[in-house]
């Protein structure tokens, strides 16, 4: 057991949000970097993030026929106007600066022969505005950010160190417990806590997320007393590669942007029946349409037909997807790709202001864990990396402008509220997928809340503190909160589709 280490800022999460926040803090000109102490933590190795897996890219306006107004409008339409318009404009305005920052940090985006960015089109966008590097944008972003972070000798770095408990004391200091790979507990405290823990895909049977995406940030922010908002808005990606695995490989929307078409098992293109924008309608509409076609045809998947794409595009633009298809015995140049909608993104989360600060002073939530108002009831494709960077920047600016040293109290409160039950992850995933999936209804949600509560009540206490058990306990808690929020929503907006509200 280590003694208590105090830092001015503790950042939990090493994806786009956490790492760029650290860069932005270091780039603030009006403060002496040596004055401020920062520590970074991640559950597994620093590179095990959803950021690393992002394929499509980042949305920003660069084309002469596009405009920021268009980007704002597309974001609002996708979000069913449940977005915060001020936030949408603020983030869209910042997008080109974010791209410049990323390039300065070493990121390379694909360019054409005139040295202009190659821009792709994705669902819900009225113009091509996705900057990317082939289909591995996230991997290259992660590498650029990590390279910069590793050179930062002042930063204290803790990999394989999972946040397992948090309390805030009366002096405003966050007291935290982490669990390392050898199951050892460490105690840390921070004047400012930045939660950048990503999403919650592991609560579902099939998700594009890392299996470490268990909603931890939402759980701890709620425990600390911060407001949580719109957990019901869970986005399903229409095209996960159909397989038996829990983690579904994402078949990027950019493929449909290049002309690939969704077809049912009878080889009939069906999207026109559901929306004038066809295969490139926003994700909620495409996911529901696929779900419906699967029901009508009693099929386990639908097809994505990319056979009309030029063969060289597969190698130039989608090399990784091509490899994944070949791995499961499908040559996408000549054969249709089997796809199903899978959990992909949490639009809701920890409520923040326009600087990423939560309702609890000193607690910041950045990236997917946050509910900033940008996405409303449905995230527009490629707006989430943008959000992670934009709020990391806004938060760093606010923190530095108000920074003052705080000392930890000598008699710091040690969190000791860990009470673990031995819970079944598969049972939770099955319940969440059935009750809080693409289509919901009141009776199944009510029944599922009771079932989850009962499973927790009946479960036996765990004898030891183990990483997996901490995760499962968090997942049950967050799962119940998702269902309660979904049940409380009285309107179908964006990704929330409750058939009981149709009557
Ligand atoms: C397959 C895939 C493709 C995507 N494609 C795109 C795209 O093209 N464009 C786009 O804009 N968005 C895309 N997204 C969404 C986007 O990638 C994510 O929303 C974004 O990367 C989230 O970044 P983050 O920093 O918030 O979290 P992440 O990158 O997921 O990082 C989370 C971090 O938190 C750490 N963590 C979690 N809990 C704890 C804990 N208890 N203790 C310590 N550490 C913890 C993890 O270890 C990790 O380091 C995609 C997502 C996926 C899964």
């Amino acid at each position: 057991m280590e003694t208590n280490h105090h830092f001015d800022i503790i950042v939990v999460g090493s994806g786009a949000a956490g790492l760029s926040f650290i860069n932005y803090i270091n780039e603030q000109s009006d403060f002496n970097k040596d004055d401020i102490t920062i520590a970074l933590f991640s559950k597994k190795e620093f590179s095990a993030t959803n950021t690393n897996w992002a394929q499509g890219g980042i949305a920003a306006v660069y084309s002469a026929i596009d405009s920021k107004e268009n980007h704002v409008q597309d974001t609002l339409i996708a979000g069913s106007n449940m977005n915060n318009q001020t936030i949408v404009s603020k983030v869209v305005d910042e997008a080109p600066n974010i791209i410049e920052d990323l390039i300065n940090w070493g990121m390379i985006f694909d360019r054409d022969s005139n040295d202009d960015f190659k821009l792709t089109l994705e669902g819900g966008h009225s113009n091509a505005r996705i900057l990317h590097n082939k289909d591995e944008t996230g991997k290259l972003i992660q590498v650029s950010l990590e390279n910069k972070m590793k050179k930062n000798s002042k930063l204290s770095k803790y990999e394989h160190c999972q946040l397992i408990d948090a309390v805030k004391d009366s002096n405003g200091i966050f007291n935290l417990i982490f669990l390392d790979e050898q199951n050892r507990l460490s105690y840390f405290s921070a004047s400012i806590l930045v939660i950048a823990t990503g999403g919650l895909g592991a609560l579902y049977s099939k998700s594009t997320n890392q299996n470490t995406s268990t909603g931890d940030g939402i759980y701890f922010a709620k425990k600390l007393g911060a407001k949580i908002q719109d957990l019901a808005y869970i986005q399903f990606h229409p095209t996960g590669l159909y397989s038996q695995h829990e983690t579904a490989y994402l078949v990027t929307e950019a493929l449909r942007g290049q002309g690939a078409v969704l077809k049912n098992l009878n080889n009939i293109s069906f999207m026109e029946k559901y929306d004038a924008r066809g295969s490139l309608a926003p994700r909620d509409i495409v996911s529901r349409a696929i779900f419906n076609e699967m029901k009508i045809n009693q099929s386990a998947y639908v097809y994505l037909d990319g056979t009309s794409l030029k063969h060289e595009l597969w190698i130039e633009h989608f090399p990784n997807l091509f490899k994944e298809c070949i791995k499961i015995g499908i040559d996408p140049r000549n054969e249709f790709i089997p796809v199903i909608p899978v959990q992909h993104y949490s639009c809701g989360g920890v409520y923040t202001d326009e600087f990423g600060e939560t309702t609890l002073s000193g607690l910041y939530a950045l990236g997917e864990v946050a509910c900033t108002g940008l996405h409303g009831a449905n995230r527009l494709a490629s707006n989430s990396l943008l959000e992670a960077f934009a709020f990391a920047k806004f938060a760093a600016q606010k923190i530095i402008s108000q920074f003052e040293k705080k000392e930890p109290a000598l008699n710091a409160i040690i969190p000791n509220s860990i009470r673990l039950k031995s819970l079944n992850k598969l049972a939770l995933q099955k319940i969440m997928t059935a009750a809080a999936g693409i289509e919901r209804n009141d009776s199944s949600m009510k029944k599922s809340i009771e079932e989850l509560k009962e499973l927790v009540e009946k479960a036996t206490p765990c004898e030891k503190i183990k990483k997996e058990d901490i995760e499962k306990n968090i997942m049950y808690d967050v799962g119940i909160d998702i269902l309660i929020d979904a049940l409380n929503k009285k309107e179908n907006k964006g990704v929330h589709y409750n058939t009981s509200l149709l009557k």
Side-chain angles (χ1 to χ4, degrees):
M1 187 193 297
E2 287 191 36
T3 47
N4 195 344
H5 292 293
H6 183 78
F7 290 93
D8 295 317
I9 305 175
I10 281 185
V11 180
V12 185
S14 60
L19 294 182
S20 65
F21 169 79
I22 292 167
N23 285 353
Y24 282 125
I25 284 281
N26 282 312
E27 287 183 356
Q28 300 301 307
S29 54
D30 53 351
F31 99 107
N32 178 356
K33 285 166 208 148
D34 294 345
D35 269 2
I36 196 163
T37 54
I38 311 181
L40 169 69
F41 291 82
S42 69
K43 227 184 222 189
K44 283 192 176 174
E45 56 275 26
F46 286 138
S47 59
T49 63
N50 283 340
T51 300
N52 205 348
W53 284 358
Q55 300 177 6
I58 308 181
V61 172
Y62 274 94
S63 140
I65 56 162
D66 198 4
S67 69
K68 285 183 178 171
E69 290 70 33
N70 289 341
H71 190 179
V72 167
Q73 272 315 310
D74 294 345
T75 304
L76 295 175
I77 292 169
S80 293
N81 276 302
M82 300 295 278
N83 327 55
N84 176 330
Q85 296 207 17
T86 312
I87 294 293
V88 177
S89 300
K90 185 176 176 185
V91 172
V92 166
D93 270 350
E94 195 60 33
N97 298 331
I98 301 283
I99 300 298
E100 290 304 309
D101 295 336
L102 285 171
I103 292 170
N104 288 335
W105 296 341
M107 177 63 193
I108 296 169
F109 291 103
D110 282 349
R111 291 177 187 261
D112 62 19
S113 51
N114 296 324
D115 208 31
D116 292 327
F117 293 124
K118 275 190 189 168
L119 302 169
T120 44
L121 184 64
E122 288 190 346
H125 288 272
S126 56
N127 271 294
R129 63 168 80 97
I130 317 301
L131 286 90
H132 59 276
N133 189 314
K134 299 190 176 59
D135 59 355
E136 51 184 22
T137 311
K139 189 172 166 188
L140 296 175
I141 286 177
Q142 184 78 31
V143 169
S144 317
L145 294 172
E146 276 188 46
N147 284 344
K148 205 160 161 56
M149 176 266 293
K150 281 173 188 155
K151 284 184 203 143
N152 183 345
S153 57
K154 295 270 177 229
L155 178 70
S156 299
K157 306 170 185 97
Y158 300 89
E159 273 180 309
H160 297 280
C161 227
Q162 178 174 334
L163 176 65
I164 62 162
D165 206 3
V167 290
K168 191 179 184 196
D169 66 26
S170 54
N171 301 313
I173 300 288
F174 295 94
N175 296 298
L176 311 168
I177 307 185
F178 289 85
L179 190 68
D180 72 11
E181 250 184 321
Q182 283 78 43
N183 260 11
R184 288 177 310 207
L185 299 178
S186 310
Y187 296 88
F188 290 85
S189 63
S191 308
I192 291 170
L193 176 61
V194 177
I195 289 179
T197 50
L200 47 76
L203 272 75
Y204 287 79
S205 303
K206 282 202 190 303
S207 167
T208 59
N209 288 193
Q210 298 264 358
N211 62 8
T212 44
S213 304
T214 49
D216 300 12
I218 293 169
Y219 173 85
F220 289 116
K222 182 181 162 199
K223 180 173 182 287
L224 285 162
K227 178 178 166 188
I228 308 297
Q229 176 138 335
D230 289 340
L231 289 186
Y233 295 146
I234 302 284
Q235 184 178 75
F236 290 79
H237 197 287
T239 55
L241 187 61
Y242 178 73
S243 78
Q244 301 307 322
H245 302 297
E246 181 180 279
T247 302
Y249 189 82
L250 185 145
V251 180
T252 172
E253 211 150 298
L255 199 64
R256 280 174 281 139
Q258 295 286 354
V261 172
L262 284 161
K263 292 183 169 175
N264 62 25
L265 293 204
N266 304 320
N267 195 12
I268 294 170
S269 162
F270 57 83
M271 269 314 300
E272 300 69 25
K273 216 163 66 182
Y274 296 91
D275 194 284
R277 289 161 290 186
S279 288
L280 277 174
R283 288 177 179 176
D284 56 325
I285 294 171
V286 182
S287 291
R288 273 202 298 280
I290 295 177
F291 187 69
N292 204 38
E293 288 294 314
M294 284 164 54
K295 263 200 309 201
I296 296 170
N297 297 305
Q298 302 212 325
S299 59
Y301 49 81
V302 297
Y303 285 128
L304 187 59
D305 172 8
T307 56
S308 63
L309 268 66
K310 286 189 191 136
H311 284 193
E312 59 269 25
L313 253 189
W314 286 101
I315 311 302
E316 279 167 20
H317 199 109
F318 307 111
N320 291 301
L321 172 59
F322 183 74
K323 270 187 238 154
E324 286 298 319
C325 290
I326 296 290
K327 247 194 238 168
I328 59 161
I330 301 229
D331 181 341
R333 294 172 299 188
N334 315 309
E335 291 171 283
F336 296 172
I337 307 168
V339 292
I340 46 160
V342 290
Q343 192 286 344
H344 184 51
Y345 186 81
S346 167
C347 305
V350 186
Y351 176 86
T352 73
D353 67 8
E354 58 173 315
F355 301 102
E357 190 166 19
T358 69
T359 51
L360 189 71
S361 167
L363 179 69
Y364 286 76
L366 305 176
E368 186 167 340
V369 71
C371 181
T372 63
L374 176 69
H375 307 307
N378 187 17
R379 171 188 70 124
L380 181 67
S382 288
N383 262 356
S384 48
L385 286 170
L386 176 60
E387 180 192 49
F389 294 122
F391 278 85
K393 190 170 189 173
F394 305 149
Q397 287 164 347
K398 177 171 173 180
I399 287 170
I400 293 305
S401 70
Q402 313 179 332
F403 185 74
E404 52 182 74
K405 281 257 176 212
K406 276 191 208 162
E407 290 308 322
L410 290 174
N411 54 346
I413 308 172
I414 302 295
N416 67 351
S417 51
I418 304 168
R419 307 271 180 277
L420 295 180
K421 292 280 188 88
S422 178
L423 297 168
N424 182 332
K425 181 168 149 185
L426 289 179
L428 166 93
Q429 290 174 329
K430 214 169 146 195
I431 290 173
M432 292 305 292
T433 305
I438 293 170
E439 257 185 43
R440 299 139 185 208
N441 67 69
D442 282 354
S443 64
S444 135
M445 287 191 282
K446 281 180 194 157
K447 194 169 138 237
S448 298
I449 293 170
E450 293 316 312
E451 269 172 21
L452 289 178
K453 286 183 178 166
E454 206 177 302
L455 281 170
V456 176
E457 264 165 38
K458 286 190 179 155
T460 51
C462 296
E463 282 172 17
K464 284 189 187 147
I465 296 180
K466 280 201 257 150
K467 177 183 165 294
E468 299 72 32
D469 288 316
I470 299 265
E471 285 184 336
K472 282 189 252 174
N473 279 256
I474 289 176
M475 287 157 78
Y476 268 72
D477 220 82
V478 175
I480 292 172
D481 286 346
I482 292 173
L483 286 162
I484 291 174
D485 188 55
L487 203 51
N488 285 339
K489 293 223 175 306
K490 296 301 169 217
E491 268 185 306
N492 283 337
K493 293 278 182 192
V495 289
H496 176 64
Y497 190 73
N498 178 353
T499 53
S500 307
L501 297 175
L502 302 176
K503 288 163 195 157

